[in-house]
Amino acid sequence: MSERTAVYPGSFDPVTLGHLDIIDRAALIFDRIVVGVLANSGKEPLFSVEERIDLLRRTIGERPRIDVTSFDGLTVDFARSQGASAIVRGLRVVSDFESEFQMALMNRRLNPEVNTVFLMTAFSNVFISSSIIKEVCRLGGDVGDVAPPESVSAMRRKFGLDG
Ligand code: PNS
């Protein structure tokens, strides 16, 4: 049987324990996961693409069969370039669903052969988002239980909270 590859696209600004949870769940289903950091999102990110990739790689550590790279343009084109048959997205709360559903249906129109697979995050990660974590960290709050240590130190450095 051929290898089943999925892409996991996102901003990852920075990677959270919620993202890591989805990566671990996806790895139980697919043979290879390619985490894709969107480079041209139009959003003003805190971290450069290189920094986000580096944080992801260090957080993922020795987990096998997981690659991290950046991409530009359409997610379906990224999926095709990686030989992926699926796009993985995490769902936290019902309010995520509407925009995710819209995106999944648009992606299916663009490439009917690529399916979006939604994975539900662990209950403990339901209220985690990179934006909230950045805000709490910037204001000096403790985010150690929702972000990996690599992201916490990188954020603290960016916000000038260390040293
Ligand atoms: O982590 P995010 O910000 O929720 O990720 C959003 C992402 C990167 C998955 C989405 O913006 C995306 O797929 N962008 C690439 C451009 C694209 O394919 N747009 C059409 C999707 S409907």
Side-chain angles (χ1 to χ4, degrees), residues 6-65:
V7 292
Y8 178 32
S11 306
F12 304 103
D13 185 41
V15 57
T16 68
L17 291 185
H19 294 132
L20 199 60
D21 176 54
I22 296 298
I23 291 170
D24 284 334
R25 288 174 200 281
L28 296 173
I29 302 173
F30 295 97
D31 300 309
R32 177 172 162 255
I33 315 290
V34 186
V35 181
V37 178
L38 180 64
N40 63 342
S41 75
K43 295 183 197 167
E44 189 55 56
L46 177 64
F47 294 100
S48 69
V49 175
E50 293 73 25
E51 288 171 325
R52 285 180 272 159
I53 289 178
D54 176 60
L55 287 174
L56 271 159
R57 288 205 175 123
R58 286 196 282 128
T59 302
I60 289 166
E62 298 300 305
R63 289 171 172 77
R65 305 177 287 105

Side-chain angles (χ1 to χ4, degrees), residues 9-11 38 43 71 73-75 89 103 106-107:
S11 306
L38 180 64
K43 295 183 197 167
F71 76 102
L74 291 173
T75 290
R89 292 287 288 170
M103 209 151 63
M106 177 54 81
N107 283 333

Side-chain angles (χ1 to χ4, degrees), residues 77-132:
D77 291 340
F78 172 55
R80 189 184 288 121
S81 73
Q82 295 294 330
S85 56
I87 296 168
V88 166
R89 292 287 288 170
L91 282 181
R92 293 163 301 190
V93 281
V94 175
S95 56
D96 279 346
F97 183 75
E98 198 168 324
S99 57
E100 291 295 337
F101 191 42
Q102 206 173 19
M103 209 151 63
L105 291 183
M106 177 54 81
N107 283 333
R108 184 187 282 169
R109 273 180 65 168
L110 293 167
N111 185 344
E113 288 173 10
V114 175
N115 277 292
T116 300
V117 173
F118 292 111
L119 295 176
M120 270 175 286
T121 191
F123 189 67
S124 53
N125 295 331
V126 159
F127 297 106
I128 299 182
S129 76
S130 295
S131 330
I132 286 192

